Amino acid sequence: MSAARDQMAVVLHRPQKLVNIAGVVRAMKNMGLRRLRLVQPAEYDPYDIAGIAHRSDDLLAATQIFDTLDDALADCVYVVGTSARPHTLLRRLTPRAAAPDLLARAAHGPVALLFGPEDNGLTNADLDRCHALLQIPTDPGYASLNLAQAVLLVAYELWMAGDPPPPAAPAQPPASAAQLERLFATAEEALWAVEFFKAHLAEGMLRTLRSLAHRAEPSAREAALLTAICMETINYLRRTGRQ
Amino acid sequence: MSAARDQMAVVLHRPQKLVNIAGVVRAMKNMGLRRLRLVQPAEYDPYDIAGIAHRSDDLLAATQIFDTLDDALADCVYVVGTSARPHTLLRRLTPRAAAPDLLARAAHGPVALLFGPEDNGLTNADLDRCHALLQIPTDPGYASLNLAQAVLLVAYELWMAGDPPPPAAPAQPPASAAQLERLFATAEEALWAVEFFKAHLAEGMLRTLRSLAHRAEPSAREAALLTAICMETINYLRRTGRQ
């Protein structure tokens, strides 16, 4: 839970399709946003949405419906609109650049992330309510994102700004140099045993195996398994009377 | 246009719904990706997809359909799977952390971005084909992204990473997925031949070997040498009458 993220309100102005609202709900749940506000939705039925966006009852129970955009924005301390439309007066930021600032502003109250209707986006009158514009980077030849995808990308950047990426999985204890040397010695013995060096130069081959193992950075357990493969090859040959 | 981005191949393994393929196509177009490969799609009709993802004819005309995952990955020099499933042997990266590296690897050939079926994701056998895993950061309480959204976020990070710097000293050509699969098959045959699997469980052991090889990233030449070791072990046993 992030107090700052909880202050982010996704405001959908005149969304037209229920399936898109459901997609927005899912994207919000994925990225830890909780506040959804709808202004004059053309279709809205929490039950139908919950059928598409599973396990979203908490978010839907808290969703607010408004008659006007001004009502929906009334308590917000900052409003950013998402638009590809030019509006020369407003600052234009990528979601990545804006995210830390948006989260910081949430200390003062709700911050609105405003998205327009699917077909035409926000009007100039809507943009007049905005402090700044978010412009999501895309291929300029194919810039049209659907509503849920635009919300997802903005919410993702807020999530990334609020939480550092997960640390790499705790590694298993690495093989020691001594364990690796034991592996290399056993491998060499096994390769002689199967007469591999009749056809290949030992020195270059062994160097290649060493560099492969060092790049793979085997754990102690993995080095032991590789050594066992070599040992058991040798043992098999002995057992079957070949050596 | 980015030469590196053009080498990124989105590989959908057994996608179930046409509408999701269309969503993937849109996301790819938004973020400037061009290569789509489908393995056993349950539903596929370019005409229907173009009706959902407008102006995507160029991408659909170049889309390839494969019978097996191995065929789809055969020419790829690097494979990353997207999975929330734990797989302790593989390196796990966020798309943001991985993007510059993926673009740099594209200097050597196609790089596969592998996504599993909508319902169950990639299996362990699918993950066995991967060099590393992408884990998209989400709220851990609601981690399930739909297919098009997962592709969108990975493609977005590749777009944001921009054009990579020219690669460092030209490495040796990396082993292709097909070469690695040949190595794994020959290694397995050799391990059976020396009766290694009398004392060790084959499945876990083979998975360990796969992950070691993927982490080591052998060159084509190195993979050929490792395959030769296995082959000549088998040949030696035959030659000396053991098999």
Side-chain angles (χ1 to χ4, degrees), chain B residues 12-21 38-45 49 65-66 117-119 147:
Chain B
L12 305 185
H13 191 203
R14 297 189 173 137
Q16 296 165 306
K17 296 207 172 291
L18 184 139
V19 67
N20 291 330
I21 299 175
L38 305 173
V39 183
Q40 297 177 23
E43 305 175 346
Y44 182 69
D45 180 330
I49 291 176
I65 315 273
F66 294 90
E118 290 91 331
D119 50 0
L147 180 57

mmCIF file with all atom_site columns, all heavy atoms in Angstrom, chain B residues 12-21 38-45 49 65-66 117-119 147:
data_model
loop_
_atom_site.group_PDB
_atom_site.id
_atom_site.type_symbol
_atom_site.label_atom_id
_atom_site.label_alt_id
_atom_site.label_comp_id
_atom_site.label_asym_id
_atom_site.label_entity_id
_atom_site.label_seq_id
_atom_site.pdbx_PDB_ins_code
_atom_site.Cartn_x
_atom_site.Cartn_y
_atom_site.Cartn_z
_atom_site.occupancy
_atom_site.B_iso_or_equiv
_atom_site.pdbx_formal_charge
_atom_site.auth_seq_id
_atom_site.auth_comp_id
_atom_site.auth_asym_id
_atom_site.auth_atom_id
_atom_site.pdbx_PDB_model_num
ATOM 1   N N   . LEU B 1 12  ? 3.803   -15.682 -29.663 1.00 0.00 ? 12  LEU B N   1
ATOM 2   C CA  . LEU B 1 12  ? 2.655   -16.081 -28.844 1.00 0.00 ? 12  LEU B CA  1
ATOM 3   C C   . LEU B 1 12  ? 2.494   -17.594 -28.947 1.00 0.00 ? 12  LEU B C   1
ATOM 4   O O   . LEU B 1 12  ? 2.231   -18.122 -30.026 1.00 0.00 ? 12  LEU B O   1
ATOM 5   C CB  . LEU B 1 12  ? 1.368   -15.394 -29.322 1.00 0.00 ? 12  LEU B CB  1
ATOM 6   C CG  . LEU B 1 12  ? 1.385   -13.865 -29.397 1.00 0.00 ? 12  LEU B CG  1
ATOM 7   C CD1 . LEU B 1 12  ? -0.012  -13.356 -29.777 1.00 0.00 ? 12  LEU B CD1 1
ATOM 8   C CD2 . LEU B 1 12  ? 1.832   -13.244 -28.086 1.00 0.00 ? 12  LEU B CD2 1
ATOM 9   N N   . HIS B 1 13  ? 2.658   -18.260 -27.810 1.00 0.00 ? 13  HIS B N   1
ATOM 10  C CA  . HIS B 1 13  ? 2.536   -19.711 -27.798 1.00 0.00 ? 13  HIS B CA  1
ATOM 11  C C   . HIS B 1 13  ? 1.095   -20.096 -27.468 1.00 0.00 ? 13  HIS B C   1
ATOM 12  O O   . HIS B 1 13  ? 0.605   -19.803 -26.394 1.00 0.00 ? 13  HIS B O   1
ATOM 13  C CB  . HIS B 1 13  ? 3.496   -20.286 -26.760 1.00 0.00 ? 13  HIS B CB  1
ATOM 14  C CG  . HIS B 1 13  ? 3.642   -21.778 -26.866 1.00 0.00 ? 13  HIS B CG  1
ATOM 15  N ND1 . HIS B 1 13  ? 4.041   -22.563 -25.827 1.00 0.00 ? 13  HIS B ND1 1
ATOM 16  C CD2 . HIS B 1 13  ? 3.436   -22.621 -27.908 1.00 0.00 ? 13  HIS B CD2 1
ATOM 17  C CE1 . HIS B 1 13  ? 4.087   -23.828 -26.213 1.00 0.00 ? 13  HIS B CE1 1
ATOM 18  N NE2 . HIS B 1 13  ? 3.716   -23.891 -27.458 1.00 0.00 ? 13  HIS B NE2 1
ATOM 19  N N   . ARG B 1 14  ? 0.458   -20.737 -28.443 1.00 0.00 ? 14  ARG B N   1
ATOM 20  C CA  . ARG B 1 14  ? -0.915  -21.207 -28.272 1.00 0.00 ? 14  ARG B CA  1
ATOM 21  C C   . ARG B 1 14  ? -1.884  -20.137 -27.784 1.00 0.00 ? 14  ARG B C   1
ATOM 22  O O   . ARG B 1 14  ? -2.610  -20.358 -26.791 1.00 0.00 ? 14  ARG B O   1
ATOM 23  C CB  . ARG B 1 14  ? -0.958  -22.394 -27.309 1.00 0.00 ? 14  ARG B CB  1
ATOM 24  C CG  . ARG B 1 14  ? -0.188  -23.587 -27.837 1.00 0.00 ? 14  ARG B CG  1
ATOM 25  C CD  . ARG B 1 14  ? -0.436  -24.818 -26.979 1.00 0.00 ? 14  ARG B CD  1
ATOM 26  N NE  . ARG B 1 14  ? 0.179   -25.971 -27.592 1.00 0.00 ? 14  ARG B NE  1
ATOM 27  C CZ  . ARG B 1 14  ? 0.871   -26.906 -26.938 1.00 0.00 ? 14  ARG B CZ  1
ATOM 28  N NH1 . ARG B 1 14  ? 1.003   -26.833 -25.639 1.00 0.00 ? 14  ARG B NH1 1
ATOM 29  N NH2 . ARG B 1 14  ? 1.398   -27.914 -27.589 1.00 0.00 ? 14  ARG B NH2 1
ATOM 30  N N   . PRO B 1 15  ? -1.929  -18.987 -28.452 1.00 0.00 ? 15  PRO B N   1
ATOM 31  C CA  . PRO B 1 15  ? -2.930  -17.994 -28.049 1.00 0.00 ? 15  PRO B CA  1
ATOM 32  C C   . PRO B 1 15  ? -4.323  -18.543 -28.327 1.00 0.00 ? 15  PRO B C   1
ATOM 33  O O   . PRO B 1 15  ? -4.543  -19.239 -29.328 1.00 0.00 ? 15  PRO B O   1
ATOM 34  C CB  . PRO B 1 15  ? -2.611  -16.790 -28.928 1.00 0.00 ? 15  PRO B CB  1
ATOM 35  C CG  . PRO B 1 15  ? -1.947  -17.362 -30.129 1.00 0.00 ? 15  PRO B CG  1
ATOM 36  C CD  . PRO B 1 15  ? -1.169  -18.554 -29.634 1.00 0.00 ? 15  PRO B CD  1
ATOM 37  N N   . GLN B 1 16  ? -5.260  -18.235 -27.455 1.00 0.00 ? 16  GLN B N   1
ATOM 38  C CA  . GLN B 1 16  ? -6.569  -18.876 -27.541 1.00 0.00 ? 16  GLN B CA  1
ATOM 39  C C   . GLN B 1 16  ? -7.610  -18.022 -28.245 1.00 0.00 ? 16  GLN B C   1
ATOM 40  O O   . GLN B 1 16  ? -8.493  -18.540 -28.905 1.00 0.00 ? 16  GLN B O   1
ATOM 41  C CB  . GLN B 1 16  ? -7.028  -19.246 -26.127 1.00 0.00 ? 16  GLN B CB  1
ATOM 42  C CG  . GLN B 1 16  ? -6.101  -20.273 -25.501 1.00 0.00 ? 16  GLN B CG  1
ATOM 43  C CD  . GLN B 1 16  ? -6.318  -20.390 -24.006 1.00 0.00 ? 16  GLN B CD  1
ATOM 44  O OE1 . GLN B 1 16  ? -6.273  -19.417 -23.268 1.00 0.00 ? 16  GLN B OE1 1
ATOM 45  N NE2 . GLN B 1 16  ? -6.559  -21.609 -23.553 1.00 0.00 ? 16  GLN B NE2 1
ATOM 46  N N   . LYS B 1 17  ? -7.510  -16.703 -28.069 1.00 0.00 ? 17  LYS B N   1
ATOM 47  C CA  . LYS B 1 17  ? -8.581  -15.849 -28.587 1.00 0.00 ? 17  LYS B CA  1
ATOM 48  C C   . LYS B 1 17  ? -8.058  -14.866 -29.624 1.00 0.00 ? 17  LYS B C   1
ATOM 49  O O   . LYS B 1 17  ? -7.072  -14.177 -29.406 1.00 0.00 ? 17  LYS B O   1
ATOM 50  C CB  . LYS B 1 17  ? -9.253  -15.084 -27.439 1.00 0.00 ? 17  LYS B CB  1
ATOM 51  C CG  . LYS B 1 17  ? -9.953  -16.017 -26.472 1.00 0.00 ? 17  LYS B CG  1
ATOM 52  C CD  . LYS B 1 17  ? -11.101 -15.319 -25.786 1.00 0.00 ? 17  LYS B CD  1
ATOM 53  C CE  . LYS B 1 17  ? -11.919 -16.293 -24.957 1.00 0.00 ? 17  LYS B CE  1
ATOM 54  N NZ  . LYS B 1 17  ? -12.676 -17.251 -25.783 1.00 0.00 ? 17  LYS B NZ  1
ATOM 55  N N   . LEU B 1 18  ? -8.771  -14.798 -30.711 1.00 0.00 ? 18  LEU B N   1
ATOM 56  C CA  . LEU B 1 18  ? -8.421  -13.882 -31.789 1.00 0.00 ? 18  LEU B CA  1
ATOM 57  C C   . LEU B 1 18  ? -8.388  -12.439 -31.304 1.00 0.00 ? 18  LEU B C   1
ATOM 58  O O   . LEU B 1 18  ? -7.520  -11.652 -31.690 1.00 0.00 ? 18  LEU B O   1
ATOM 59  C CB  . LEU B 1 18  ? -9.433  -14.065 -32.927 1.00 0.00 ? 18  LEU B CB  1
ATOM 60  C CG  . LEU B 1 18  ? -9.194  -13.264 -34.195 1.00 0.00 ? 18  LEU B CG  1
ATOM 61  C CD1 . LEU B 1 18  ? -9.475  -14.136 -35.405 1.00 0.00 ? 18  LEU B CD1 1
ATOM 62  C CD2 . LEU B 1 18  ? -10.060 -12.018 -34.222 1.00 0.00 ? 18  LEU B CD2 1
ATOM 63  N N   . VAL B 1 19  ? -9.318  -12.088 -30.428 1.00 0.00 ? 19  VAL B N   1
ATOM 64  C CA  . VAL B 1 19  ? -9.377  -10.703 -29.965 1.00 0.00 ? 19  VAL B CA  1
ATOM 65  C C   . VAL B 1 19  ? -8.100  -10.341 -29.197 1.00 0.00 ? 19  VAL B C   1
ATOM 66  O O   . VAL B 1 19  ? -7.640  -9.192  -29.240 1.00 0.00 ? 19  VAL B O   1
ATOM 67  C CB  . VAL B 1 19  ? -10.653 -10.463 -29.111 1.00 0.00 ? 19  VAL B CB  1
ATOM 68  C CG1 . VAL B 1 19  ? -10.582 -11.243 -27.813 1.00 0.00 ? 19  VAL B CG1 1
ATOM 69  C CG2 . VAL B 1 19  ? -10.877 -8.985  -28.865 1.00 0.00 ? 19  VAL B CG2 1
ATOM 70  N N   . ASN B 1 20  ? -7.499  -11.320 -28.555 1.00 0.00 ? 20  ASN B N   1
ATOM 71  C CA  . ASN B 1 20  ? -6.247  -11.043 -27.848 1.00 0.00 ? 20  ASN B CA  1
ATOM 72  C C   . ASN B 1 20  ? -5.076  -10.886 -28.818 1.00 0.00 ? 20  ASN B C   1
ATOM 73  O O   . ASN B 1 20  ? -4.193  -10.062 -28.608 1.00 0.00 ? 20  ASN B O   1
ATOM 74  C CB  . ASN B 1 20  ? -5.955  -12.149 -26.837 1.00 0.00 ? 20  ASN B CB  1
ATOM 75  C CG  . ASN B 1 20  ? -6.949  -12.118 -25.688 1.00 0.00 ? 20  ASN B CG  1
ATOM 76  O OD1 . ASN B 1 20  ? -7.454  -11.061 -25.330 1.00 0.00 ? 20  ASN B OD1 1
ATOM 77  N ND2 . ASN B 1 20  ? -7.237  -13.282 -25.119 1.00 0.00 ? 20  ASN B ND2 1
ATOM 78  N N   . ILE B 1 21  ? -5.076  -11.698 -29.870 1.00 0.00 ? 21  ILE B N   1
ATOM 79  C CA  . ILE B 1 21  ? -4.044  -11.510 -30.903 1.00 0.00 ? 21  ILE B CA  1
ATOM 80  C C   . ILE B 1 21  ? -4.176  -10.103 -31.483 1.00 0.00 ? 21  ILE B C   1
ATOM 81  O O   . ILE B 1 21  ? -3.183  -9.396  -31.677 1.00 0.00 ? 21  ILE B O   1
ATOM 82  C CB  . ILE B 1 21  ? -4.174  -12.574 -32.015 1.00 0.00 ? 21  ILE B CB  1
ATOM 83  C CG1 . ILE B 1 21  ? -3.985  -13.986 -31.431 1.00 0.00 ? 21  ILE B CG1 1
ATOM 84  C CG2 . ILE B 1 21  ? -3.152  -12.324 -33.126 1.00 0.00 ? 21  ILE B CG2 1
ATOM 85  C CD1 . ILE B 1 21  ? -4.216  -15.104 -32.450 1.00 0.00 ? 21  ILE B CD1 1
ATOM 86  N N   . LEU B 1 38  ? 3.186   -16.801 -34.354 1.00 0.00 ? 38  LEU B N   1
ATOM 87  C CA  . LEU B 1 38  ? 2.136   -17.496 -33.615 1.00 0.00 ? 38  LEU B CA  1
ATOM 88  C C   . LEU B 1 38  ? 2.394   -18.997 -33.672 1.00 0.00 ? 38  LEU B C   1
ATOM 89  O O   . LEU B 1 38  ? 2.646   -19.544 -34.738 1.00 0.00 ? 38  LEU B O   1
ATOM 90  C CB  . LEU B 1 38  ? 0.769   -17.204 -34.240 1.00 0.00 ? 38  LEU B CB  1
ATOM 91  C CG  . LEU B 1 38  ? 0.402   -15.714 -34.386 1.00 0.00 ? 38  LEU B CG  1
ATOM 92  C CD1 . LEU B 1 38  ? -0.902  -15.573 -35.166 1.00 0.00 ? 38  LEU B CD1 1
ATOM 93  C CD2 . LEU B 1 38  ? 0.279   -15.060 -33.020 1.00 0.00 ? 38  LEU B CD2 1
ATOM 94  N N   . VAL B 1 39  ? 2.333   -19.637 -32.521 1.00 0.00 ? 39  VAL B N   1
ATOM 95  C CA  . VAL B 1 39  ? 2.479   -21.085 -32.453 1.00 0.00 ? 39  VAL B CA  1
ATOM 96  C C   . VAL B 1 39  ? 1.118   -21.680 -32.120 1.00 0.00 ? 39  VAL B C   1
ATOM 97  O O   . VAL B 1 39  ? 0.559   -21.406 -31.055 1.00 0.00 ? 39  VAL B O   1
ATOM 98  C CB  . VAL B 1 39  ? 3.508   -21.492 -31.380 1.00 0.00 ? 39  VAL B CB  1
ATOM 99  C CG1 . VAL B 1 39  ? 3.695   -23.009 -31.374 1.00 0.00 ? 39  VAL B CG1 1
ATOM 100 C CG2 . VAL B 1 39  ? 4.838   -20.781 -31.610 1.00 0.00 ? 39  VAL B CG2 1
ATOM 101 N N   . GLN B 1 40  ? 0.585   -22.462 -33.030 1.00 0.00 ? 40  GLN B N   1
ATOM 102 C CA  . GLN B 1 40  ? -0.715  -23.123 -32.831 1.00 0.00 ? 40  GLN B CA  1
ATOM 103 C C   . GLN B 1 40  ? -1.790  -22.192 -32.286 1.00 0.00 ? 40  GLN B C   1
ATOM 104 O O   . GLN B 1 40  ? -2.371  -22.464 -31.227 1.00 0.00 ? 40  GLN B O   1
ATOM 105 C CB  . GLN B 1 40  ? -0.546  -24.316 -31.877 1.00 0.00 ? 40  GLN B CB  1
ATOM 106 C CG  . GLN B 1 40  ? 0.353   -25.412 -32.397 1.00 0.00 ? 40  GLN B CG  1
ATOM 107 C CD  . GLN B 1 40  ? 0.538   -26.520 -31.364 1.00 0.00 ? 40  GLN B CD  1
ATOM 108 O OE1 . GLN B 1 40  ? -0.291  -26.705 -30.472 1.00 0.00 ? 40  GLN B OE1 1
ATOM 109 N NE2 . GLN B 1 40  ? 1.620   -27.245 -31.476 1.00 0.00 ? 40  GLN B NE2 1
ATOM 110 N N   . PRO B 1 41  ? -2.081  -21.114 -32.986 1.00 0.00 ? 41  PRO B N   1
ATOM 111 C CA  . PRO B 1 41  ? -3.173  -20.258 -32.502 1.00 0.00 ? 41  PRO B CA  1
ATOM 112 C C   . PRO B 1 41  ? -4.506  -20.988 -32.605 1.00 0.00 ? 41  PRO B C   1
ATOM 113 O O   . PRO B 1 41  ? -4.778  -21.641 -33.618 1.00 0.00 ? 41  PRO B O   1
ATOM 114 C CB  . PRO B 1 41  ? -3.129  -19.051 -33.435 1.00 0.00 ? 41  PRO B CB  1
ATOM 115 C CG  . PRO B 1 41  ? -2.498  -19.566 -34.691 1.00 0.00 ? 41  PRO B CG  1
ATOM 116 C CD  . PRO B 1 41  ? -1.503  -20.620 -34.255 1.00 0.00 ? 41  PRO B CD  1
ATOM 117 N N   . ALA B 1 42  ? -5.330  -20.907 -31.552 1.00 0.00 ? 42  ALA B N   1
ATOM 118 C CA  . ALA B 1 42  ? -6.631  -21.584 -31.587 1.00 0.00 ? 42  ALA B CA  1
ATOM 119 C C   . ALA B 1 42  ? -7.564  -20.911 -32.591 1.00 0.00 ? 42  ALA B C   1
ATOM 120 O O   . ALA B 1 42  ? -8.366  -21.569 -33.233 1.00 0.00 ? 42  ALA B O   1
ATOM 121 C CB  . ALA B 1 42  ? -7.258  -21.586 -30.193 1.00 0.00 ? 42  ALA B CB  1
ATOM 122 N N   . GLU B 1 43  ? -7.445  -19.583 -32.698 1.00 0.00 ? 43  GLU B N   1
ATOM 123 C CA  . GLU B 1 43  ? -8.250  -18.829 -33.667 1.00 0.00 ? 43  GLU B CA  1
ATOM 124 C C   . GLU B 1 43  ? -7.309  -17.900 -34.405 1.00 0.00 ? 43  GLU B C   1
ATOM 125 O O   . GLU B 1 43  ? -6.524  -17.193 -33.766 1.00 0.00 ? 43  GLU B O   1
ATOM 126 C CB  . GLU B 1 43  ? -9.310  -17.969 -32.970 1.00 0.00 ? 43  GLU B CB  1
ATOM 127 C CG  . GLU B 1 43  ? -10.246 -18.707 -32.042 1.00 0.00 ? 43  GLU B CG  1
ATOM 128 C CD  . GLU B 1 43  ? -11.195 -17.752 -31.291 1.00 0.00 ? 43  GLU B CD  1
ATOM 129 O OE1 . GLU B 1 43  ? -10.962 -16.524 -31.289 1.00 0.00 ? 43  GLU B OE1 1
ATOM 130 O OE2 . GLU B 1 43  ? -12.158 -18.257 -30.690 1.00 0.00 ? 43  GLU B OE2 1
ATOM 131 N N   . TYR B 1 44  ? -7.396  -17.885 -35.728 1.00 0.00 ? 44  TYR B N   1
ATOM 132 C CA  . TYR B 1 44  ? -6.570  -16.932 -36.461 1.00 0.00 ? 44  TYR B CA  1
ATOM 133 C C   . TYR B 1 44  ? -7.197  -16.630 -37.798 1.00 0.00 ? 44  TYR B C   1
ATOM 134 O O   . TYR B 1 44  ? -7.449  -17.538 -38.590 1.00 0.00 ? 44  TYR B O   1
ATOM 135 C CB  . TYR B 1 44  ? -5.150  -17.454 -36.657 1.00 0.00 ? 44  TYR B CB  1
ATOM 136 C CG  . TYR B 1 44  ? -4.281  -16.447 -37.384 1.00 0.00 ? 44  TYR B CG  1
ATOM 137 C CD1 . TYR B 1 44  ? -3.920  -15.265 -36.752 1.00 0.00 ? 44  TYR B CD1 1
ATOM 138 C CD2 . TYR B 1 44  ? -3.863  -16.662 -38.693 1.00 0.00 ? 44  TYR B CD2 1
ATOM 139 C CE1 . TYR B 1 44  ? -3.153  -14.320 -37.415 1.00 0.00 ? 44  TYR B CE1 1
ATOM 140 C CE2 . TYR B 1 44  ? -3.100  -15.721 -39.361 1.00 0.00 ? 44  TYR B CE2 1
ATOM 141 C CZ  . TYR B 1 44  ? -2.748  -14.550 -38.718 1.00 0.00 ? 44  TYR B CZ  1
ATOM 142 O OH  . TYR B 1 44  ? -1.995  -13.602 -39.369 1.00 0.00 ? 44  TYR B OH  1
ATOM 143 N N   . ASP B 1 45  ? -7.460  -15.369 -38.034 1.00 0.00 ? 45  ASP B N   1
ATOM 144 C CA  . ASP B 1 45  ? -7.976  -14.922 -39.315 1.00 0.00 ? 45  ASP B CA  1
ATOM 145 C C   . ASP B 1 45  ? -7.514  -13.479 -39.494 1.00 0.00 ? 45  ASP B C   1
ATOM 146 O O   . ASP B 1 45  ? -8.005  -12.579 -38.818 1.00 0.00 ? 45  ASP B O   1
ATOM 147 C CB  . ASP B 1 45  ? -9.511  -15.006 -39.309 1.00 0.00 ? 45  ASP B CB  1
ATOM 148 C CG  . ASP B 1 45  ? -10.094 -14.555 -40.648 1.00 0.00 ? 45  ASP B CG  1
ATOM 149 O OD1 . ASP B 1 45  ? -9.478  -13.694 -41.319 1.00 0.00 ? 45  ASP B OD1 1
ATOM 150 O OD2 . ASP B 1 45  ? -11.167 -15.057 -41.016 1.00 0.00 ? 45  ASP B OD2 1
ATOM 151 N N   . ILE B 1 49  ? -8.750  -9.943  -37.676 1.00 0.00 ? 49  ILE B N   1
ATOM 152 C CA  . ILE B 1 49  ? -7.844  -9.180  -36.811 1.00 0.00 ? 49  ILE B CA  1
ATOM 153 C C   . ILE B 1 49  ? -7.697  -7.754  -37.331 1.00 0.00 ? 49  ILE B C   1
ATOM 154 O O   . ILE B 1 49  ? -7.750  -6.792  -36.562 1.00 0.00 ? 49  ILE B O   1
ATOM 155 C CB  . ILE B 1 49  ? -6.479  -9.884  -36.731 1.00 0.00 ? 49  ILE B CB  1
ATOM 156 C CG1 . ILE B 1 49  ? -6.626  -11.202 -35.951 1.00 0.00 ? 49  ILE B CG1 1
ATOM 157 C CG2 . ILE B 1 49  ? -5.447  -8.978  -36.055 1.00 0.00 ? 49  ILE B CG2 1
ATOM 158 C CD1 . ILE B 1 49  ? -5.376  -12.021 -35.888 1.00 0.00 ? 49  ILE B CD1 1
ATOM 159 N N   . ILE B 1 65  ? 3.173   -18.331 -38.843 1.00 0.00 ? 65  ILE B N   1
ATOM 160 C CA  . ILE B 1 65  ? 2.475   -19.331 -38.030 1.00 0.00 ? 65  ILE B CA  1
ATOM 161 C C   . ILE B 1 65  ? 3.349   -20.579 -37.957 1.00 0.00 ? 65  ILE B C   1
ATOM 162 O O   . ILE B 1 65  ? 3.869   -21.021 -38.990 1.00 0.00 ? 65  ILE B O   1
ATOM 163 C CB  . ILE B 1 65  ? 1.124   -19.722 -38.661 1.00 0.00 ? 65  ILE B CB  1
ATOM 164 C CG1 . ILE B 1 65  ? 0.369   -18.484 -39.130 1.00 0.00 ? 65  ILE B CG1 1
ATOM 165 C CG2 . ILE B 1 65  ? 0.293   -20.573 -37.715 1.00 0.00 ? 65  ILE B CG2 1
ATOM 166 C CD1 . ILE B 1 65  ? -0.476  -17.823 -38.127 1.00 0.00 ? 65  ILE B CD1 1
ATOM 167 N N   . PHE B 1 66  ? 3.491   -21.154 -36.782 1.00 0.00 ? 66  PHE B N   1
ATOM 168 C CA  . PHE B 1 66  ? 4.352   -22.324 -36.604 1.00 0.00 ? 66  PHE B CA  1
ATOM 169 C C   . PHE B 1 66  ? 3.582   -23.457 -35.923 1.00 0.00 ? 66  PHE B C   1
ATOM 170 O O   . PHE B 1 66  ? 2.674   -23.224 -35.139 1.00 0.00 ? 66  PHE B O   1
ATOM 171 C CB  . PHE B 1 66  ? 5.567   -21.964 -35.748 1.00 0.00 ? 66  PHE B CB  1
ATOM 172 C CG  . PHE B 1 66  ? 6.495   -20.974 -36.409 1.00 0.00 ? 66  PHE B CG  1
ATOM 173 C CD1 . PHE B 1 66  ? 6.307   -19.612 -36.229 1.00 0.00 ? 66  PHE B CD1 1
ATOM 174 C CD2 . PHE B 1 66  ? 7.543   -21.406 -37.209 1.00 0.00 ? 66  PHE B CD2 1
ATOM 175 C CE1 . PHE B 1 66  ? 7.151   -18.698 -36.835 1.00 0.00 ? 66  PHE B CE1 1
ATOM 176 C CE2 . PHE B 1 66  ? 8.396   -20.502 -37.818 1.00 0.00 ? 66  PHE B CE2 1
ATOM 177 C CZ  . PHE B 1 66  ? 8.200   -19.139 -37.630 1.00 0.00 ? 66  PHE B CZ  1
ATOM 178 N N   . PRO B 1 117 ? -0.041  -19.082 -23.301 1.00 0.00 ? 117 PRO B N   1
ATOM 179 C CA  . PRO B 1 117 ? -1.489  -18.992 -23.506 1.00 0.00 ? 117 PRO B CA  1
ATOM 180 C C   . PRO B 1 117 ? -2.150  -18.159 -22.394 1.00 0.00 ? 117 PRO B C   1
ATOM 181 O O   . PRO B 1 117 ? -1.623  -18.063 -21.286 1.00 0.00 ? 117 PRO B O   1
ATOM 182 C CB  . PRO B 1 117 ? -1.962  -20.444 -23.422 1.00 0.00 ? 117 PRO B CB  1
ATOM 183 C CG  . PRO B 1 117 ? -0.762  -21.297 -23.341 1.00 0.00 ? 117 PRO B CG  1
ATOM 184 C CD  . PRO B 1 117 ? 0.419   -20.448 -23.040 1.00 0.00 ? 117 PRO B CD  1
ATOM 185 N N   . GLU B 1 118 ? -3.313  -17.599 -22.735 1.00 0.00 ? 118 GLU B N   1
ATOM 186 C CA  . GLU B 1 118 ? -3.995  -16.696 -21.822 1.00 0.00 ? 118 GLU B CA  1
ATOM 187 C C   . GLU B 1 118 ? -4.293  -17.341 -20.471 1.00 0.00 ? 118 GLU B C   1
ATOM 188 O O   . GLU B 1 118 ? -4.219  -16.667 -19.441 1.00 0.00 ? 118 GLU B O   1
ATOM 189 C CB  . GLU B 1 118 ? -5.333  -16.226 -22.426 1.00 0.00 ? 118 GLU B CB  1
ATOM 190 C CG  . GLU B 1 118 ? -5.187  -15.295 -23.612 1.00 0.00 ? 118 GLU B CG  1
ATOM 191 C CD  . GLU B 1 118 ? -5.152  -16.032 -24.944 1.00 0.00 ? 118 GLU B CD  1
ATOM 192 O OE1 . GLU B 1 118 ? -4.690  -17.197 -24.973 1.00 0.00 ? 118 GLU B OE1 1
ATOM 193 O OE2 . GLU B 1 118 ? -5.578  -15.453 -25.951 1.00 0.00 ? 118 GLU B OE2 1
ATOM 194 N N   . ASP B 1 119 ? -4.684  -18.613 -20.478 1.00 0.00 ? 119 ASP B N   1
ATOM 195 C CA  . ASP B 1 119 ? -5.165  -19.185 -19.220 1.00 0.00 ? 119 ASP B CA  1
ATOM 196 C C   . ASP B 1 119 ? -4.039  -19.582 -18.276 1.00 0.00 ? 119 ASP B C   1
ATOM 197 O O   . ASP B 1 119 ? -4.040  -19.217 -17.113 1.00 0.00 ? 119 ASP B O   1
ATOM 198 C CB  . ASP B 1 119 ? -6.110  -20.371 -19.477 1.00 0.00 ? 119 ASP B CB  1
ATOM 199 C CG  . ASP B 1 119 ? -5.509  -21.372 -20.458 1.00 0.00 ? 119 ASP B CG  1
ATOM 200 O OD1 . ASP B 1 119 ? -4.382  -21.148 -20.939 1.00 0.00 ? 119 ASP B OD1 1
ATOM 201 O OD2 . ASP B 1 119 ? -6.164  -22.390 -20.746 1.00 0.00 ? 119 ASP B OD2 1
ATOM 202 N N   . LEU B 1 147 ? -3.036  -10.795 -21.995 1.00 0.00 ? 147 LEU B N   1
ATOM 203 C CA  . LEU B 1 147 ? -1.945  -11.016 -22.943 1.00 0.00 ? 147 LEU B CA  1
ATOM 204 C C   . LEU B 1 147 ? -1.530  -9.722  -23.640 1.00 0.00 ? 147 LEU B C   1
ATOM 205 O O   . LEU B 1 147 ? -0.340  -9.375  -23.707 1.00 0.00 ? 147 LEU B O   1
ATOM 206 C CB  . LEU B 1 147 ? -2.392  -12.073 -23.960 1.00 0.00 ? 147 LEU B CB  1
ATOM 207 C CG  . LEU B 1 147 ? -1.409  -12.468 -25.040 1.00 0.00 ? 147 LEU B CG  1
ATOM 208 C CD1 . LEU B 1 147 ? -0.103  -12.972 -24.461 1.00 0.00 ? 147 LEU B CD1 1
ATOM 209 C CD2 . LEU B 1 147 ? -2.036  -13.549 -25.933 1.00 0.00 ? 147 LEU B CD2 1
#
